[in-house]
Amino acid sequence: MSHRHALAILVLIVVGVAAGVFCGWYWGERMLAVAWLGALFLNALKMMIIPLIFAAVISGVASLGDVRKLGRLGGITIGYYVVTTGIAVSIGLVMVNWIQPGAGLQFDRAELPAEVAAMKEVGVSDLLLSLVSPNLVASAAETQLVPLILFAILLSAALTTLGRTGQQVIEFFNGMNEALMKLVIWLMYFAPVGIFGLVASRLGEAGGGAAFARDLAAVGWHVVTVLAGLAIHFVVLLLLLRFVARRGLDYLGGMLRAVLTAFGTASSSATLPLTMECAREAGIDRRAVRFVLPLGSTVNMDGTALYEAAAVMFIAQAYGIDMSFGQQMVVFVTATLAAIGAAGIPEAGLVTMVIVLSAVGLPLEGVGLLLSVDWFLDRFRTSVNVWGDAVGAAVVHRFLPDPSGPPG
Ligand code: ASP
């Protein structure tokens, strides 16, 4: 996409978000009438995810040439994910200890939401088990991306050992990837309208501005804590971009279309096609674009990790339960795991929070306190998730042995 078109679309997306907030705020439920516009955009994005994951990961891993080099690429990538997720959780814990958003809160004991009740049995071993799918089609149907990515990596490794036959299959996936990215560019032109529909109808579903403001006020300090933490982490990532990846603000400018789409869709996975296209336009090496971004969209969730840590501590404070340093360390580790385990879909973080709550013995019903504003905070944390992936691609690009490879 040309620079001029990219800029025009960015401006239109900003207008779409602003108009969505304005219309949803004032016209409330009447804006449900435009929900279909958002659904259309979201469906089109989702349509792309599964073929794109296969094509991108297979051609990305194969373009390493020698699959033994995957160790280095994978090592830098996982290292980046772990370090930044750790920083995010630490920011969440510091903020919540400092602001104490739950202290002195009065509330009725909330009901246990059905989707959370269903998660009761999930533990760390289930997260490990979910890496390998017994049925790839079923995983694809449920947008469980990790087992698909693992399969694509293995397949790609096998293909690189097959000589000419393997090369032909890799060429096929290279072509698929190019074609899918073309589709993504076409779809981007619809993003402003789609995002308008998503934002306006979701605010409408919450009952419009007045009702939403009441929900916000009920847990106001929690919202402030999370948003401030996310803003700080956004800036930390910007510093990493500047000093580790050695890139300037223009990279943020180029990625904003993806970050705002994350805000509109509340789904890192649905945003993935746009994230990849923006990174490719920014000249990021194809090995980084096709490997770091798909994996990051489902594994690297800084915003979600920060949110889970802050929300669990908020619940403890609201119940008047003191959390020792040791317990907070448990929150640190489990919030990181819960963010890794969360799928890149709306409000997934709320469900995997159960892992953190049960690890420190807090009442699961506490999640009920957060329900009314979760959809709102989800949009901000998803934007940070996508921004974290984008910075990750730039960091990995810098450390590739020969970073001058072809983009995206
Ligand atoms: N909606 C988030 C994402 O897709 C996950 C979550 O925190 O709920 O990245």
Side-chain angles (χ1 to χ4, degrees):
M1 174 175 282
S2 75
H3 188 66
R4 257 191 43 231
H5 281 202
L7 191 65
I9 288 185
L10 175 60
V11 171
L12 288 174
I13 290 179
V14 173
V15 172
V17 172
V21 171
F22 181 84
C23 297
W25 190 278
Y26 284 102
W27 288 305
E29 278 165 20
R30 266 183 284 170
M31 291 317 285
L32 290 177
V34 296
W36 69 274
L37 284 174
L40 193 62
F41 177 58
L42 201 58
N43 288 350
L45 283 175
K46 287 183 181 166
M47 170 178 85
M48 226 84 86
I49 301 173
I50 302 299
L52 191 58
I53 289 266
F54 272 110
V57 177
I58 290 176
S59 66
V61 172
S63 68
L64 289 169
D66 179 348
V67 89
R68 274 168 295 186
K69 291 192 189 141
L70 184 61
R72 183 182 164 99
L73 177 66
I76 304 172
T77 307
I78 305 287
Y80 170 84
Y81 292 165
V82 171
V83 170
T84 50
T85 307
I87 295 175
V89 178
S90 310
I91 293 175
L93 286 175
V94 168
M95 294 301 285
V96 80
N97 278 297
W98 177 44
I99 299 183
Q100 299 276 330
L105 212 70
Q106 293 295 322
F107 62 89
D108 304 323
R109 270 195 168 240
E111 288 273 300
L112 185 62
E115 63 269 49
V116 175
M119 277 290 290
K120 259 188 174 167
E121 301 302 324
V122 174
V124 173
S125 60
D126 297 282
L127 290 183
L128 294 175
L129 265 179
S130 69
L131 291 180
V132 178
S133 161
N135 182 342
L136 286 179
V137 178
S139 299
E142 285 166 25
T143 334
Q144 293 164 350
L145 302 186
V146 178
L148 298 185
I149 292 174
L150 193 71
F151 175 74
I153 292 174
L154 292 174
L155 191 65
S156 181
L159 286 171
T160 54
T161 66
L162 295 186
R164 231 182 76 78
T165 319
Q167 206 47 47
Q168 284 168 345
V169 181
I170 291 168
E171 282 305 322
F172 165 79
F173 282 110
N174 281 341
M176 274 290 280
N177 190 74
E178 296 301 320
L180 286 163
M181 293 319 278
K182 246 302 153 3
L183 288 183
V184 174
I185 294 178
W186 293 344
L187 184 58
M188 248 190 221
Y189 288 95
F190 184 58
V193 177
I195 291 175
F196 163 76
L198 285 166
V199 173
S201 62
R202 191 57 189 85
L203 198 50
E205 200 184 319
F212 172 59
R214 270 196 303 279
D215 288 341
L216 271 191
V219 286
W221 284 109
H222 166 60
V223 173
V224 171
T225 310
V226 173
L227 291 186
L230 290 174
I232 293 172
H233 191 66
F234 198 94
V235 175
V236 169
L237 290 171
L238 210 52
L239 295 175
L240 285 181
L241 181 75
R242 184 75 205 96
F243 296 108
V244 182
R246 306 250 168 88
R247 276 178 185 259
L249 279 180
D250 52 331
Y251 187 70
L252 171 61
M255 294 308 301
L256 269 183
R257 280 166 292 157
V259 172
L260 288 171
T261 302
F263 184 84
T265 59
S267 166
S268 315
S269 299
T271 310
L272 174 66
L274 263 74
T275 319
M276 289 176 69
E277 173 55 25
C278 293
R280 169 188 164 106
E281 283 171 19
I284 299 291
D285 186 289
R286 68 166 52 163
R287 290 162 292 179
V289 171
R290 298 182 192 182
F291 179 76
V292 181
L293 292 177
L295 191 60
S297 77
T298 176
V299 166
N300 181 44
M301 297 197 179
D302 296 0
T304 301
L306 187 153
Y307 173 77
E308 301 219 5
V312 165
M313 292 296 295
F314 168 76
I315 291 172
Q317 290 168 359
Y319 277 96
I321 298 169
D322 235 6
M323 298 284 278
S324 67
F325 183 76
Q327 279 174 307
Q328 297 205 26
M329 281 295 111
V330 175
V331 170
F332 181 92
V333 174
T334 49
T336 305
L337 289 175
I340 292 173
I345 55 174
E347 303 200 45
L350 193 70
V351 179
T352 58
M353 196 189 296
V354 171
I355 297 173
V356 190
L357 287 171
S358 15
V360 284
L362 285 172
L364 303 187
E365 290 78 2
V367 172
L369 292 176
L370 314 166
L371 275 186
S372 59
V373 291
D374 190 66
W375 68 269
F376 173 70
L377 293 176
D378 191 13
R379 278 150 205 267
F380 288 94
R381 64 183 190 251
T382 308
S383 303
V384 172
N385 290 345
V386 168
W387 176 230
D389 295 338
V391 173
V395 168
V396 171
H397 172 100
R398 154 109 203 278
F399 290 108
L400 281 170
D402 154 35
S404 52

